[in-house]
Amino acid sequence: MIPETGIWLIFFLPVMGFFAIALLVRPFWGGQSRLSSLILVIALSGSFVLSLWTLVCVIQEGPLTLPDHLWMTLGGLEFKVGMIVDSLTAIMLVVVSSVSLAIQIYSHGYMKDDPGYVRYYTFMALFSSAMLGLVIASNIIQMFVMWELVGLGSFLLIGFWFNKPTAAAAAKKAFLVTRIGDFGFLLAILYLFSHREAFAGQGLNPLDIRDINSAIPMIKDGIILGIGSLGLTWLGLGIFAGAAGKSAQFPLHVWLPDAMEGPTPVSALIHAATMVAAGVFLIARFFPVFQSSDTTMTILAIIGSFTAIFAATMGIVNNDIKRVLAYSTISQLGFMVAALGIGAYGPAIFHLFNHAFFKALLFLGAGNVNHATGTFDMRYMGGLRKIMPLTYTCMVIGALSLIGMFPLAGFWSKDEILGYAWHGHGFVNGWVFWTLMLGVILTTVYTTRMMLMTFHGKYRGTAPVNHHEEKTQLKSDLNHHLKESPLVMLAPMGLLAVAAIFSGYMANPQQELLGIPVHWFSEFVAPLGSHEHVLPLNKGLALVTMTLIVILLGLVSLFYSKIRTCETRFQGVIMVSRQVLTERYYIDRVFERGLVIRLFYRFIGGLLEWIDQQLIDAVVDVLGWISRSVGLVISRFQTGQAQAYGMTVVLGAFAILVAYLMWG
């Protein structure tokens, strides 16, 4: 069995790396020292090994029981710091540490010439440690602290190139939007805190995650009073608000596409396996709360499935390869949230597991393409499959896995989600199934378009060359610059490609494989006491889906080759549709003008300015007037004559004596 210290080290190794880089490397070795990457890679390697050890222990022994440590006591309520080490924790630790490690190795080559090299690894260490701390947290306050540190780390990384106005704006946008969701999460925490006496009556702590989940049956049976069914609904919606912010679910999705202004490895880390997955993890951690309310589950299912197709439509027209992948991330997160909404807990976590590998692979591939061409604009790419065959091969694997092509990882988890929706009953399951099928179609379209524009056809040159993703100049001939990326950038992609091929079937085999039981993953991650039925592979549904995907691959390829003819024939419809989709359904304008400009800048900023000028300044002015007036009066007695001072003493003593005689 792994000792408690070993599990704590999963979190503390990156923390120590953060302090070592920030306090030692940067002051004494300079801002471009390669020592920073070595420190973080070693720290995350340790976290990864310990995470694997933890996973093995949980597989063999079940959830680990570890003591909590008293943090502080407030009003008789104990605030503790501890760890939940169950199947969900073990899987997430492996996913976060492995993908983070691969990306940090990749970053060594991608960021080698950046003047902020050490600063980059400092922020990466902070973000990675916060994410690992979030996964193991046993107390909702402890979780919220880590939750906000993840937000802080993402703000710093998205705005890493803060001299770029677009990067600074994207960082602020991400910070503001996610704070909206976090406010809902905070209200849920305060709601639990307000019922601390009702929980204490049953020997439970309303801030302990395990106690919160175990209290749900008592709340439904009326043993814990004051919450009830409506309270559980509002509690679930508050937690979902926080999850929707981090996982970019409609309408809090607007920050994620703009977050592509950060370095590509940041995009791979934040938008594949960590920050955006944190929202799905949060729902899974509090799944009994959501299951207790049909209303909350319905909202999850509808918002998740709508987000899946809504984001996918915008990915079809975007020409920035990173933004296409960003919309893809939003869409795939919608798949996971929708799955949780219909009760498909195991398939949702399974898809989160697979998505982390193939989406990180695609983002790193986009980084390789940018490294060679100097642009993310796919209109200036083309023909790269012959020049960058290794990158192309890896991205084909990632793209086919994203589409859900048999037998790659994405196929197995998507099929489980679709199968669960297909076999369910009622309007919600039907809605989820057909919207997600449309999501599969749209995913195939934008993914195929991305690969064709990037790697096929002729190289379209004349692309803006950038330095660290910042377009600065034009060159008419880039052919002599085009080359495959170095080994330090290709090796992590190769490992992720292997995972994108085998992780699906190896983790959740349809028949016993090398000692791995049938549907091992789904049964392993299922919450204790769960009666979720693991469905076998629906061969008919899988055949229909594969046939549809293959047909779409051919149609999109044909359309791409005849795109000018199609645009001529349907120019009006295409132009209007493209305009609407390019403008993101004008939601971002509503957000920027309504929320940011009017609410934050004009209303809240104006209110704070009024308070500052009319209240605070007025109080200061009054205090200043009083001080001046009192000083002026006192100054009248400062004559410099000893006789006047003596008379003042005598009169004062006389006044005291009179007062004593009258009232003493």
Side-chain angles (χ1 to χ4, degrees), residues 344-522:
Y345 181 95
I349 304 303
F350 187 30
H351 196 52
L352 184 152
F353 176 79
N354 289 331
H355 177 264
F357 298 116
F358 64 71
K359 186 53 61 68
L361 172 62
L362 288 170
F363 269 114
L364 296 187
N368 282 8
V369 170
N370 168 258
H371 193 262
T373 64
T375 184
F376 288 109
D377 195 328
M378 296 184 295
R379 293 171 297 181
Y380 300 109
M381 298 179 185
L384 297 179
R385 71 184 189 278
K386 297 179 181 179
I387 301 168
M388 307 176 69
L390 297 178
T391 296
Y392 174 67
T393 302
C394 289
M395 286 201 70
V396 166
I397 293 170
L400 292 177
S401 189
L402 171 61
I403 290 170
M405 180 64 73
F406 176 87
L408 304 181
F411 165 80
W412 301 104
S413 50
K414 277 190 178 181
D415 181 81
E416 281 201 11
I417 294 173
L418 291 171
Y420 203 100
W422 175 257
H423 288 284
H425 301 285
F427 167 77
V428 175
N429 282 77
W431 163 267
V432 169
F433 175 78
W434 290 111
T435 51
L436 294 189
M437 281 297 292
L438 179 57
V440 170
I441 294 172
L442 294 173
T443 301
T444 304
V445 173
Y446 68 68
T447 305
T448 307
R449 172 181 177 268
M450 177 187 71
M451 295 299 294
L452 290 172
M453 289 185 68
T454 303
F455 293 101
H456 291 260
K458 294 182 179 180
Y459 178 66
R460 292 176 290 277
T462 62
V465 179
N466 66 37
H467 180 65
H468 300 303
E469 307 177 23
E470 184 175 351
K471 298 173 182 178
T472 57
Q473 60 179 345
L474 290 173
K475 289 191 177 182
S476 59
D477 183 16
L478 286 177
N479 280 291
H480 64 283
H481 293 284
L482 297 176
K483 59 181 181 180
E484 187 63 271
S485 298
L487 181 61
V488 72
M489 297 170 66
L490 289 171
M493 289 185 64
L495 295 174
L496 292 171
V498 172
I501 296 173
F502 297 109
S503 68
Y505 192 76
M506 292 289 292
N508 204 47
Q510 302 297 309
Q511 57 187 13
E512 186 171 337
L513 177 70
L514 302 174
I516 304 174
V518 178
H519 289 291
W520 172 83
F521 189 98
S522 294

Side-chain angles (χ1 to χ4, degrees), residues 109-289:
Y110 191 86
M111 300 293 294
K112 65 178 182 178
D113 296 324
D114 196 285
Y117 187 90
V118 173
R119 178 166 56 88
Y120 170 85
Y121 275 98
T122 304
F123 296 163
M124 276 292 198
L126 173 65
F127 182 87
S128 299
S129 58
M131 189 63 205
L132 291 168
L134 169 66
V135 169
I136 64 175
S138 66
N139 184 285
I140 199 169
I141 300 297
Q142 178 187 351
M143 173 180 278
F144 189 75
V145 171
M146 294 296 133
W147 186 266
E148 292 303 308
L149 283 176
V150 167
L152 173 62
S154 68
F155 170 77
L156 296 172
L157 288 168
I158 294 169
F160 179 76
W161 289 307
F162 54 84
N163 291 324
K164 291 174 59 181
T166 52
K172 288 187 288 186
K173 187 175 185 178
F175 189 82
L176 287 174
V177 175
T178 53
R179 292 295 75 72
I180 296 172
D182 292 353
F183 181 69
F185 189 17
L186 180 60
L187 289 178
I189 296 173
L190 294 175
Y191 183 73
L192 287 168
F193 184 78
S194 68
H195 291 84
R196 58 190 179 278
E197 293 181 358
F199 275 78
Q202 301 299 320
L204 301 175
N205 188 331
L207 301 179
D208 187 280
I209 296 173
R210 290 160 295 196
D211 285 357
I212 295 169
N213 289 331
S214 62
I216 301 303
M218 301 181 193
I219 295 172
K220 296 181 73 175
D221 294 339
I223 300 174
I224 296 178
L225 302 175
I227 298 179
S229 299
L230 182 61
L232 287 174
T233 298
W234 284 110
L235 178 61
L237 291 177
I239 297 172
F240 177 58
K246 286 288 194 289
S247 289
Q249 296 299 285
F250 180 87
L252 300 180
H253 68 282
V254 294
W255 68 271
L256 197 146
D258 291 339
M260 298 300 107
E261 292 292 337
T264 298
V266 171
S267 303
L269 183 63
I270 292 179
H271 308 129
T274 52
M275 180 175 171
V276 294
V280 178
F281 168 80
L282 184 67
I283 299 173
R285 178 59 79 204
F286 291 97
F287 197 60
V289 175

